[in-house]
Amino acid sequence: IRCVIVRINSPGGSILATDQIYRAIGRLRKDGKLVYVSFGSMSASGGYYIGLNSDRIFANSITMLGSIGVFSSYRDYQDLYDVLGIEHDVISTGEYMGVGKTRKGLTSKELAMVQQHQDESYQLFVNKVILHRELSEEEAYDVAQGQVFLGRTGKDLDLVDEIGSFQDTIDSLASDLGIKNPEVV
């Protein structure tokens, strides 16, 4: 195996899972494998993050990509529980053990803690965009407001390297490595 194509079709997901895949791609590259990424119909948030650690990124002209940012959602069902008469006792071992449970909203201290984690994760993501896409800090923050771009706009913004399909990715990789009849496994 001389090279790897990673096909990504994802709206994103867990920060941990995303970072683990990102690091695995880095290990392939460290071992001398050329890694090209081919985005499917969507490569947003964590999907985009994963692609950053490749040698080249391909996207179709109408691939939805980007969504560079981090978000969390917390629900407060206190009023609904009250209307339905649901009792909910919580026994915990620490002040923050109930963060994110649906019985109550976040306190200001809990919100500050969650926001700090969000900010750190966001900065990590933006730093990877700056590093891998060679954007200035200003350019990176301009495209890192959670917006989604179509592939052609992503190319114009230097978020992807090439506009092309999965087959175009195979052809380009074969050409770059001088492989006449690539065997895709």
Side-chain angles (χ1 to χ4, degrees):
I1 296 173
R2 295 175 55 194
C3 51
V4 175
I5 296 174
V6 180
R7 178 71 167 170
I8 300 173
N9 192 28
S10 172
S14 156
I15 295 171
L16 176 61
T18 295
D19 195 60
Q20 287 176 329
I21 298 168
Y22 169 93
R23 290 174 186 273
I25 291 171
R27 286 193 302 277
L28 285 169
R29 293 177 72 205
K30 185 177 178 187
D31 288 344
K33 308 288 188 249
L34 197 58
V35 180
Y36 282 13
V37 162
S38 171
F39 288 160
S41 61
M42 177 176 281
S43 190
S45 196
Y48 183 75
Y49 182 112
I50 290 167
L52 287 171
N53 206 8
S54 65
D55 292 291
R56 274 175 94 187
I57 298 174
F58 287 73
N60 288 286
S61 61
I62 57 172
T63 296
M64 291 174 31
L65 61 91
S67 189
I68 300 167
V70 180
F71 83 97
S72 294
S73 175
Y74 295 91
R75 291 165 185 82
D76 177 357
Y77 293 129
Q78 175 74 40
D79 292 341
L80 179 61
Y81 284 5
D82 292 343
V83 167
L84 296 175
I86 297 172
E87 294 294 325
H88 185 184
D89 294 322
V90 175
I91 301 167
S92 66
T93 57
E95 179 180 0
Y96 299 102
M97 290 303 298
V99 171
K101 304 304 181 219
T102 59
R103 178 65 175 161
K104 63 176 186 66
L106 298 176
T107 67
S108 59
K109 284 176 70 176
E110 293 168 339
L111 186 59
M113 180 186 70
V114 171
Q115 186 64 56
Q116 178 184 346
H117 293 302
Q118 296 289 101
D119 292 345
E120 290 173 13
S121 297
Y122 175 68
Q123 191 58 57
L124 177 72
F125 197 168
V126 171
N127 288 346
K128 289 189 182 322
V129 171
I130 291 168
L131 172 68
H132 293 290
R133 301 311 305 168
E134 298 179 1
L135 299 178
S136 70
E137 196 170 298
E138 182 180 349
E139 291 169 325
Y141 281 109
D142 283 346
V143 297
Q145 299 302 310
Q147 65 273 53
V148 177
F149 305 101
L150 291 180
R152 190 147 311 278
T153 303
K155 171 90 168 83
D156 293 342
L157 294 169
D158 292 325
L159 297 177
V160 299
D161 298 300
E162 301 290 338
I163 296 300
S165 65
F166 182 70
Q167 186 61 52
D168 293 328
T169 308
I170 294 169
D171 293 345
S172 179
L173 190 51
S175 174
D176 291 347
L177 290 174
I179 301 172
K180 292 194 186 323
N181 296 308
E183 182 180 342
V184 179
V185 180

